[in-house]
Every structure is written in C-alpha cells, then in structure tokens.
Amino acid sequence: MFALNRKLFRDLWRLRGQVLAIGLVIASGVAVLVMSLTAVEALDDTAVAYYERHRFGHVFAKLERAPDRVAQRIAQLPGVLAVETRVVHPAIVDIEGFEEPVVAELVSVSPDATAPLNQLALRSGRFPVGDRPDEAVLNEPFALAHGLGLGDRFRAVINGRWRELDVVGTALSPEYVYALGPGALVPDDRRFGVIWLGRDGLRAAFDLHGAFNDISVRVHGGTDTRDVVAGMDRLLDRYGSIGAYDRSDQISNWFLMNEIDQLRTMSSILPSIFLAVAAFLTNMVLGRLITVERAEIGLLKAFGYSDLEVGWHYLKLVLCMGSVGVILGWAIGFWLGLYNTQLYAEFYRFPFLLFRPGPNPFVIAAVASLGAAVIGSIGAIRQSQRLSPAEAMQPPAPPLFKRTQFAERGLTGRLDQLTRIVLRQIGRWPVRSFLTSAGIGMAVAVLVTALHWLDAIDHMVDVYFKQAQRQDISVGFAEARPDGAIRSLKKLPGVLATEGIRSVSARLRSGSREHRGSVLGVPAHQTLQLVFDASGHQVNLPPEGLVLSTMLAEILQVQVGDELTVEILEGRRPM
C-alpha cells in the first residue's frame, strides 16, 4: 500500500486545480451549514440563559383592573411558582428635535429592582426611587435612537396629562427583545419605546391603587401551561381580561423563536445545493481520472493488488479532496457563525452573547459533505473494481454508433454539423447530460434563492402598503370610540376620506384546533384598507360569516362553508 499512497499524493498534486475547485464547493456547503447550526445553537443558548437569569415569565395576561388579592388566588393555582403584577399603559411621548409623536409603553417597576419576574438588565444609571414618580428608565435602543442619556428630560402624556420625566437609567428586558409598536410590522426604536416608571407613581397616575392591569406568571418545570392559562382565565374573566396566553404567543418571544426556526430551515436547504454540486463534480473528476488511468489500474491488479485495495485508493483520493473542503469550511463557517450571531444579538439587543459552539455542527457538516463526495464517487470506484487486468491493459473498445430515427427520417438534415454533434452527445450519454444540466441548475438555484428575496419583499411592500393600505395616516384609539370620532376626523382640514375599523381580541376554534388573535370589522366595500385574495383581486366582504387568511385557514384546517366557534374576549364576550 506504500506505493499506492505515493501515487495518491502525486495524483493530488497533479489534480490540485480540480481538487481546489471541488474543495471550495464543499467548503461553501460546509460553511453555510456550520454557520447556520452554530448561530442556531448560540441564539438558542443565549435566549434560554437570558430568560432564566432575568426570570422571564411563562404565562401572561392583560386586563382592565383587578385588586391585588386576585394575584394571591392565581399564586395558589397548581404549578404556579411566582406571580408579578404590574401597571402597563400606552402613552404619547414628545421628544425634542423629533417632529412626529412617539408611542411608548409605560411599565411599572419596583424601586428596589427585586421583581420576581421579568427583571430588567440595567445598562446604565439606576432604578426609579419610590417617592419620585417622574424618574424613568428607558429601553436602551429607544434611548440611543433619540440620543437620550442620564439626566435628560422629556415630556409624555400620561392619562391625559402632560408630565416631565427625568431619565435616570437605561435597561434591556427579556420581555421586549423584539420591541414592536402598535400596528407595526418591524421594530422602530424612533417611534416606539418602553419606559419603566416607579410602581406607586404609575398606579397613582392611572388610579390603580391596590390594583393591577397586567400579570405575569412563572410555573414549575413540567407544568402544563394550558392548565394555568385556563385557571387564570376563570379568575380574571370578570376583570376585563382578554385571555391569558403562554410564552409561545408572547409577541417578542414569538418573533425570536421564528427567526431561529428560519435559521434551522436554511441549514437544511442551502447546504444541500452545494453538496449536490460537489457530488456531481466528484463523480465527473474521478470518472475521467479512472478512464485516463485504465492501463495503470490493469498493472496494479496484475502485480497483485486486489479490487478492494484499488477501490480504497480512489476512495482515499475522494476523502482527501473532501477533507480540504471540510477544513476550509470549518474555519469559514466558524467565523461566519460568530459574525451572524453578533448581528442577531445586536438586532435583538441581548445584554450578553453565548457563542460556544459544540462539536455537533462540525461533525454534522463533515459527515454530510464527505458522505456527499463518497456517494458521488461510488459509480466511478465500482467501474475501477470491475476492470480485469487483461481488459484494463487494452484500450477501451470503441462505442458502437448507429443512425437514429431522426437521422433516418431526414429530420436532422437541415441542421448544421456542430448542432448535430451536440444533439448526438446528449442522445448517446443522457445520464451525463442530465447530471451536467442538474449541476448547472443547482448553481443557478443558489443565485435564485439568494436574490429572489429582493423581488419578493418589493412585491409584498407594494401590495400591502400601496395597494391594500391606501390611507396616508392611521389613528389608533386606546378604547373603542363611536362613529362620531370618524366624522370628526373627516372634518379636519385636508382630509378627503376616512374609514373606521373595529378590532376585538377573540379565540377561534375548529374542533380541537384553536387560535388566539383578532377579528377585524371593516366596511363591506372598503376604499382605504382593502382585502385581497391570493390572486390579487379585491374581496368585497359578505354580510355574514368570516373571511380568513389562507394561513389561518390552514392552521384551523377549515374550508369555505365550515363553521367556526368565535369567542370574543372583550366587552360582553359573545360567542
């Protein structure tokens, strides 16, 4: 085998250009796979650690007003570990130098920062002092977006009254990793922020002494949160609750977990394309090499080398080519994974980052890439093993050619010679032609996969913001208003048209399937906020029944004509 090893190194050096090309293709697949898997692992570890260190709640509920004694009854529910009550209200903030009004969410915080749940990660300054109701802690991205620092002041409308607030600190919260404002599609730190105020001062501002309107619950490990949600709904129903929900439906956590799921999906799609191309290239290079070394294979077998030894020699050649790509892909993938994770950590504003990739991503990438290379070379290796010494020492028999039916019928007579040569090559070696086309198709697929997002996002923006959403300004109310508010807005200077929408929280049930969301009431013939079907045509809503989005219909597994149970979670709560 020493002679075969020397031949192996000579072949690698002689084919160094092709070895490098195959290695780079494999390295691309390995790098994408390692990047995706390490980023998923790092984001998952960081989120779990962040949630645990700052005691992020498992179940949440919003309501109108409930006395503090209700929290004690919730704490007695089976499986409940800790309960935190708060006051949470929207507010309008006036930032000097920023012309547009800013929407903020006011959240009460205990002055000693010993909240049992949803603890803040203080980034600068301190927490509000109990007897100073105008001290505020700002969400760090919001403060940075407006250049607000310790000691700065700004105005806010709190329960209909202007208040001057002093910035005494900045913080991050596991509850607002993805801080999404009302009606927003993506976070906008300039137009939405979270402001934490002292609990006693915020209670006094909204006349909630001895009461709360927001509650978070943490449960013991292994507890079914559905039982806790049902128990909280029973206790909070009379206090204007719109329904408890667990962490999976919490808006910030939902976006974060979906981003991690998308990374997992990417780790299975893009690397597959690269590895399929690598398998094709390996088969092509090794097949040609065995054809060229036909006589050498015959000599090896004549001198006593077995079919297994000859096959193992060429398999080692494939493994060496694959190993070049694996090692290079490991290094690039580690760097890309760290860079990608840092971008996600900056976007989601984690106070720390845990990037400690284990061996699994690298082992999976190596096994997948080397496996693809080996699979691509099996046919060529079996060809080298089937050659007998006497047969291999002779030149290969020339292939037999015959006239095709197209030629006999004179269908190719009008074609030029080069075109006929191309068609003959495709017809005589269809598998090779198909694999060549498949390899080119895989390369094109990589470009299409990367570039189609631009057109897709442009199309979605055009449909949603220009065709469906025709209004120039949207006005949101904290509570439902009569139709007179719409008429009042229409009388404002420059207003051409107004259109009202009623949104209520609801549960939709179909058999054992349930979805918690909103039901929108819009005019049957809309002029400003249109509803489109999948083909892009405007839908005039029927006078009775519901019109569901395609995705929601798939979740509930319903079709046109099926019945749904709709439980309204506001007001008189009809069903």
PDB file of all heavy atoms in Angstrom, residues 29-53:
ATOM      1  N   GLY A  29     -20.663  24.653   1.091  1.00  0.00           N
ATOM      2  CA  GLY A  29     -21.744  23.954   1.781  1.00  0.00           C
ATOM      3  C   GLY A  29     -21.465  23.763   3.255  1.00  0.00           C
ATOM      4  O   GLY A  29     -22.352  23.960   4.102  1.00  0.00           O
ATOM      5  N   VAL A  30     -20.224  23.386   3.590  1.00  0.00           N
ATOM      6  CA  VAL A  30     -19.858  23.181   4.999  1.00  0.00           C
ATOM      7  C   VAL A  30     -19.961  24.498   5.762  1.00  0.00           C
ATOM      8  O   VAL A  30     -20.461  24.539   6.895  1.00  0.00           O
ATOM      9  CB  VAL A  30     -18.436  22.593   5.105  1.00  0.00           C
ATOM     10  CG1 VAL A  30     -17.951  22.586   6.551  1.00  0.00           C
ATOM     11  CG2 VAL A  30     -18.406  21.184   4.536  1.00  0.00           C
ATOM     12  N   ALA A  31     -19.487  25.602   5.142  1.00  0.00           N
ATOM     13  CA  ALA A  31     -19.514  26.895   5.826  1.00  0.00           C
ATOM     14  C   ALA A  31     -20.933  27.338   6.121  1.00  0.00           C
ATOM     15  O   ALA A  31     -21.238  27.814   7.226  1.00  0.00           O
ATOM     16  CB  ALA A  31     -18.796  27.939   4.976  1.00  0.00           C
ATOM     17  N   VAL A  32     -21.823  27.183   5.133  1.00  0.00           N
ATOM     18  CA  VAL A  32     -23.221  27.578   5.362  1.00  0.00           C
ATOM     19  C   VAL A  32     -23.851  26.708   6.439  1.00  0.00           C
ATOM     20  O   VAL A  32     -24.594  27.202   7.308  1.00  0.00           O
ATOM     21  CB  VAL A  32     -24.017  27.488   4.043  1.00  0.00           C
ATOM     22  CG1 VAL A  32     -25.500  27.727   4.300  1.00  0.00           C
ATOM     23  CG2 VAL A  32     -23.493  28.485   3.028  1.00  0.00           C
ATOM     24  N   LEU A  33     -23.560  25.422   6.402  1.00  0.00           N
ATOM     25  CA  LEU A  33     -24.139  24.519   7.401  1.00  0.00           C
ATOM     26  C   LEU A  33     -23.608  24.823   8.795  1.00  0.00           C
ATOM     27  O   LEU A  33     -24.377  24.904   9.765  1.00  0.00           O
ATOM     28  CB  LEU A  33     -23.827  23.069   7.011  1.00  0.00           C
ATOM     29  CG  LEU A  33     -24.459  21.978   7.881  1.00  0.00           C
ATOM     30  CD1 LEU A  33     -25.967  22.135   7.937  1.00  0.00           C
ATOM     31  CD2 LEU A  33     -24.106  20.595   7.341  1.00  0.00           C
ATOM     32  N   VAL A  34     -22.292  25.006   8.912  1.00  0.00           N
ATOM     33  CA  VAL A  34     -21.709  25.329  10.223  1.00  0.00           C
ATOM     34  C   VAL A  34     -22.213  26.682  10.710  1.00  0.00           C
ATOM     35  O   VAL A  34     -22.549  26.847  11.889  1.00  0.00           O
ATOM     36  CB  VAL A  34     -20.164  25.307  10.134  1.00  0.00           C
ATOM     37  CG1 VAL A  34     -19.548  25.868  11.413  1.00  0.00           C
ATOM     38  CG2 VAL A  34     -19.670  23.891   9.897  1.00  0.00           C
ATOM     39  N   MET A  35     -22.267  27.661   9.811  1.00  0.00           N
ATOM     40  CA  MET A  35     -22.764  28.988  10.192  1.00  0.00           C
ATOM     41  C   MET A  35     -24.189  28.901  10.738  1.00  0.00           C
ATOM     42  O   MET A  35     -24.500  29.473  11.794  1.00  0.00           O
ATOM     43  CB  MET A  35     -22.725  29.923   8.990  1.00  0.00           C
ATOM     44  CG  MET A  35     -23.295  31.308   9.260  1.00  0.00           C
ATOM     45  SD  MET A  35     -23.639  32.250   7.767  1.00  0.00           S
ATOM     46  CE  MET A  35     -25.034  31.331   7.103  1.00  0.00           C
ATOM     47  N   SER A  36     -25.055  28.187  10.031  1.00  0.00           N
ATOM     48  CA  SER A  36     -26.451  28.100  10.455  1.00  0.00           C
ATOM     49  C   SER A  36     -26.594  27.360  11.772  1.00  0.00           C
ATOM     50  O   SER A  36     -27.290  27.819  12.690  1.00  0.00           O
ATOM     51  CB  SER A  36     -27.275  27.412   9.366  1.00  0.00           C
ATOM     52  OG  SER A  36     -27.175  28.089   8.137  1.00  0.00           O
ATOM     53  N   LEU A  37     -25.923  26.215  11.883  1.00  0.00           N
ATOM     54  CA  LEU A  37     -26.069  25.412  13.094  1.00  0.00           C
ATOM     55  C   LEU A  37     -25.463  26.101  14.312  1.00  0.00           C
ATOM     56  O   LEU A  37     -26.039  26.062  15.409  1.00  0.00           O
ATOM     57  CB  LEU A  37     -25.428  24.043  12.885  1.00  0.00           C
ATOM     58  CG  LEU A  37     -26.106  23.142  11.835  1.00  0.00           C
ATOM     59  CD1 LEU A  37     -25.356  21.817  11.704  1.00  0.00           C
ATOM     60  CD2 LEU A  37     -27.559  22.878  12.199  1.00  0.00           C
ATOM     61  N   THR A  38     -24.297  26.731  14.152  1.00  0.00           N
ATOM     62  CA  THR A  38     -23.695  27.425  15.297  1.00  0.00           C
ATOM     63  C   THR A  38     -24.510  28.652  15.683  1.00  0.00           C
ATOM     64  O   THR A  38     -24.641  28.968  16.873  1.00  0.00           O
ATOM     65  CB  THR A  38     -22.256  27.839  14.969  1.00  0.00           C
ATOM     66  OG1 THR A  38     -22.228  28.607  13.753  1.00  0.00           O
ATOM     67  CG2 THR A  38     -21.353  26.628  14.820  1.00  0.00           C
ATOM     68  N   ALA A  39     -25.079  29.360  14.683  1.00  0.00           N
ATOM     69  CA  ALA A  39     -25.915  30.518  15.004  1.00  0.00           C
ATOM     70  C   ALA A  39     -27.182  30.086  15.727  1.00  0.00           C
ATOM     71  O   ALA A  39     -27.605  30.732  16.704  1.00  0.00           O
ATOM     72  CB  ALA A  39     -26.255  31.286  13.723  1.00  0.00           C
ATOM     73  N   VAL A  40     -27.801  29.002  15.270  1.00  0.00           N
ATOM     74  CA  VAL A  40     -28.993  28.486  15.949  1.00  0.00           C
ATOM     75  C   VAL A  40     -28.651  28.097  17.384  1.00  0.00           C
ATOM     76  O   VAL A  40     -29.377  28.437  18.332  1.00  0.00           O
ATOM     77  CB  VAL A  40     -29.569  27.287  15.181  1.00  0.00           C
ATOM     78  CG1 VAL A  40     -30.605  26.560  16.026  1.00  0.00           C
ATOM     79  CG2 VAL A  40     -30.197  27.734  13.869  1.00  0.00           C
ATOM     80  N   GLU A  41     -27.545  27.378  17.543  1.00  0.00           N
ATOM     81  CA  GLU A  41     -27.138  26.938  18.882  1.00  0.00           C
ATOM     82  C   GLU A  41     -26.838  28.131  19.781  1.00  0.00           C
ATOM     83  O   GLU A  41     -27.263  28.165  20.953  1.00  0.00           O
ATOM     84  CB  GLU A  41     -25.903  26.043  18.752  1.00  0.00           C
ATOM     85  CG  GLU A  41     -25.429  25.430  20.060  1.00  0.00           C
ATOM     86  CD  GLU A  41     -24.232  24.518  19.852  1.00  0.00           C
ATOM     87  OE1 GLU A  41     -24.267  23.707  18.908  1.00  0.00           O
ATOM     88  OE2 GLU A  41     -23.267  24.619  20.630  1.00  0.00           O
ATOM     89  N   ALA A  42     -26.123  29.148  19.251  1.00  0.00           N
ATOM     90  CA  ALA A  42     -25.762  30.304  20.067  1.00  0.00           C
ATOM     91  C   ALA A  42     -26.997  31.127  20.434  1.00  0.00           C
ATOM     92  O   ALA A  42     -27.148  31.556  21.588  1.00  0.00           O
ATOM     93  CB  ALA A  42     -24.747  31.170  19.324  1.00  0.00           C
ATOM     94  N   LEU A  43     -27.877  31.376  19.458  1.00  0.00           N
ATOM     95  CA  LEU A  43     -29.080  32.154  19.752  1.00  0.00           C
ATOM     96  C   LEU A  43     -29.979  31.433  20.741  1.00  0.00           C
ATOM     97  O   LEU A  43     -30.565  32.057  21.645  1.00  0.00           O
ATOM     98  CB  LEU A  43     -29.843  32.441  18.462  1.00  0.00           C
ATOM     99  CG  LEU A  43     -29.238  33.479  17.512  1.00  0.00           C
ATOM    100  CD1 LEU A  43     -30.065  33.592  16.247  1.00  0.00           C
ATOM    101  CD2 LEU A  43     -29.139  34.833  18.192  1.00  0.00           C
ATOM    102  N   ASP A  44     -30.103  30.126  20.578  1.00  0.00           N
ATOM    103  CA  ASP A  44     -30.939  29.349  21.495  1.00  0.00           C
ATOM    104  C   ASP A  44     -30.355  29.388  22.906  1.00  0.00           C
ATOM    105  O   ASP A  44     -31.082  29.610  23.881  1.00  0.00           O
ATOM    106  CB  ASP A  44     -31.041  27.915  20.988  1.00  0.00           C
ATOM    107  CG  ASP A  44     -32.265  27.198  21.537  1.00  0.00           C
ATOM    108  OD1 ASP A  44     -33.260  27.871  21.853  1.00  0.00           O
ATOM    109  OD2 ASP A  44     -32.219  25.970  21.678  1.00  0.00           O
ATOM    110  N   ASP A  45     -29.050  29.175  23.018  1.00  0.00           N
ATOM    111  CA  ASP A  45     -28.406  29.203  24.342  1.00  0.00           C
ATOM    112  C   ASP A  45     -28.511  30.588  24.968  1.00  0.00           C
ATOM    113  O   ASP A  45     -28.763  30.725  26.176  1.00  0.00           O
ATOM    114  CB  ASP A  45     -26.940  28.791  24.231  1.00  0.00           C
ATOM    115  CG  ASP A  45     -26.772  27.319  23.888  1.00  0.00           C
ATOM    116  OD1 ASP A  45     -27.759  26.565  24.020  1.00  0.00           O
ATOM    117  OD2 ASP A  45     -25.670  26.928  23.472  1.00  0.00           O
ATOM    118  N   THR A  46     -28.295  31.628  24.154  1.00  0.00           N
ATOM    119  CA  THR A  46     -28.364  32.991  24.685  1.00  0.00           C
ATOM    120  C   THR A  46     -29.765  33.326  25.159  1.00  0.00           C
ATOM    121  O   THR A  46     -29.947  33.911  26.235  1.00  0.00           O
ATOM    122  CB  THR A  46     -27.911  33.990  23.611  1.00  0.00           C
ATOM    123  OG1 THR A  46     -26.578  33.686  23.194  1.00  0.00           O
ATOM    124  CG2 THR A  46     -27.946  35.410  24.147  1.00  0.00           C
ATOM    125  N   ALA A  47     -30.772  32.971  24.349  1.00  0.00           N
ATOM    126  CA  ALA A  47     -32.154  33.266  24.736  1.00  0.00           C
ATOM    127  C   ALA A  47     -32.538  32.525  26.014  1.00  0.00           C
ATOM    128  O   ALA A  47     -33.147  33.111  26.923  1.00  0.00           O
ATOM    129  CB  ALA A  47     -33.103  32.892  23.598  1.00  0.00           C
ATOM    130  N   VAL A  48     -32.183  31.238  26.091  1.00  0.00           N
ATOM    131  CA  VAL A  48     -32.522  30.457  27.291  1.00  0.00           C
ATOM    132  C   VAL A  48     -31.844  31.045  28.522  1.00  0.00           C
ATOM    133  O   VAL A  48     -32.459  31.208  29.585  1.00  0.00           O
ATOM    134  CB  VAL A  48     -32.130  28.983  27.091  1.00  0.00           C
ATOM    135  CG1 VAL A  48     -32.243  28.216  28.403  1.00  0.00           C
ATOM    136  CG2 VAL A  48     -33.012  28.337  26.032  1.00  0.00           C
ATOM    137  N   ALA A  49     -30.547  31.380  28.395  1.00  0.00           N
ATOM    138  CA  ALA A  49     -29.822  31.940  29.534  1.00  0.00           C
ATOM    139  C   ALA A  49     -30.388  33.302  29.933  1.00  0.00           C
ATOM    140  O   ALA A  49     -30.527  33.611  31.123  1.00  0.00           O
ATOM    141  CB  ALA A  49     -28.339  32.056  29.193  1.00  0.00           C
ATOM    142  N   TYR A  50     -30.709  34.118  28.934  1.00  0.00           N
ATOM    143  CA  TYR A  50     -31.284  35.441  29.200  1.00  0.00           C
ATOM    144  C   TYR A  50     -32.617  35.307  29.924  1.00  0.00           C
ATOM    145  O   TYR A  50     -32.885  35.990  30.930  1.00  0.00           O
ATOM    146  CB  TYR A  50     -31.451  36.171  27.874  1.00  0.00           C
ATOM    147  CG  TYR A  50     -31.850  37.623  27.964  1.00  0.00           C
ATOM    148  CD1 TYR A  50     -31.657  38.366  29.132  1.00  0.00           C
ATOM    149  CD2 TYR A  50     -32.416  38.264  26.868  1.00  0.00           C
ATOM    150  CE1 TYR A  50     -32.014  39.703  29.194  1.00  0.00           C
ATOM    151  CE2 TYR A  50     -32.780  39.608  26.924  1.00  0.00           C
ATOM    152  CZ  TYR A  50     -32.583  40.316  28.088  1.00  0.00           C
ATOM    153  OH  TYR A  50     -32.936  41.633  28.153  1.00  0.00           O
ATOM    154  N   TYR A  51     -33.453  34.407  29.422  1.00  0.00           N
ATOM    155  CA  TYR A  51     -34.760  34.204  30.052  1.00  0.00           C
ATOM    156  C   TYR A  51     -34.623  33.685  31.480  1.00  0.00           C
ATOM    157  O   TYR A  51     -35.371  34.101  32.373  1.00  0.00           O
ATOM    158  CB  TYR A  51     -35.590  33.218  29.226  1.00  0.00           C
ATOM    159  CG  TYR A  51     -36.089  33.768  27.906  1.00  0.00           C
ATOM    160  CD1 TYR A  51     -36.721  32.937  26.974  1.00  0.00           C
ATOM    161  CD2 TYR A  51     -35.954  35.111  27.585  1.00  0.00           C
ATOM    162  CE1 TYR A  51     -37.194  33.441  25.764  1.00  0.00           C
ATOM    163  CE2 TYR A  51     -36.415  35.612  26.380  1.00  0.00           C
ATOM    164  CZ  TYR A  51     -37.034  34.775  25.472  1.00  0.00           C
ATOM    165  OH  TYR A  51     -37.501  35.275  24.289  1.00  0.00           O
ATOM    166  N   GLU A  52     -33.685  32.781  31.696  1.00  0.00           N
ATOM    167  CA  GLU A  52     -33.553  32.194  33.034  1.00  0.00           C
ATOM    168  C   GLU A  52     -32.938  33.187  34.019  1.00  0.00           C
ATOM    169  O   GLU A  52     -33.389  33.300  35.159  1.00  0.00           O
ATOM    170  CB  GLU A  52     -32.702  30.924  32.956  1.00  0.00           C
ATOM    171  CG  GLU A  52     -33.381  29.763  32.267  1.00  0.00           C
ATOM    172  CD  GLU A  52     -34.664  29.345  32.957  1.00  0.00           C
ATOM    173  OE1 GLU A  52     -34.686  29.333  34.205  1.00  0.00           O
ATOM    174  OE2 GLU A  52     -35.657  29.058  32.258  1.00  0.00           O
ATOM    175  N   ARG A  53     -31.891  33.888  33.592  1.00  0.00           N
ATOM    176  CA  ARG A  53     -31.224  34.816  34.516  1.00  0.00           C
ATOM    177  C   ARG A  53     -32.143  35.950  34.935  1.00  0.00           C
ATOM    178  O   ARG A  53     -32.057  36.431  36.073  1.00  0.00           O
ATOM    179  CB  ARG A  53     -29.974  35.398  33.850  1.00  0.00           C
ATOM    180  CG  ARG A  53     -28.868  34.384  33.609  1.00  0.00           C
ATOM    181  CD  ARG A  53     -27.662  35.048  32.972  1.00  0.00           C
ATOM    182  NE  ARG A  53     -26.672  34.060  32.548  1.00  0.00           N
ATOM    183  CZ  ARG A  53     -25.508  34.372  31.966  1.00  0.00           C
ATOM    184  NH1 ARG A  53     -25.214  35.641  31.754  1.00  0.00           N
ATOM    185  NH2 ARG A  53     -24.666  33.406  31.596  1.00  0.00           N
TER     186      ARG A  53
END
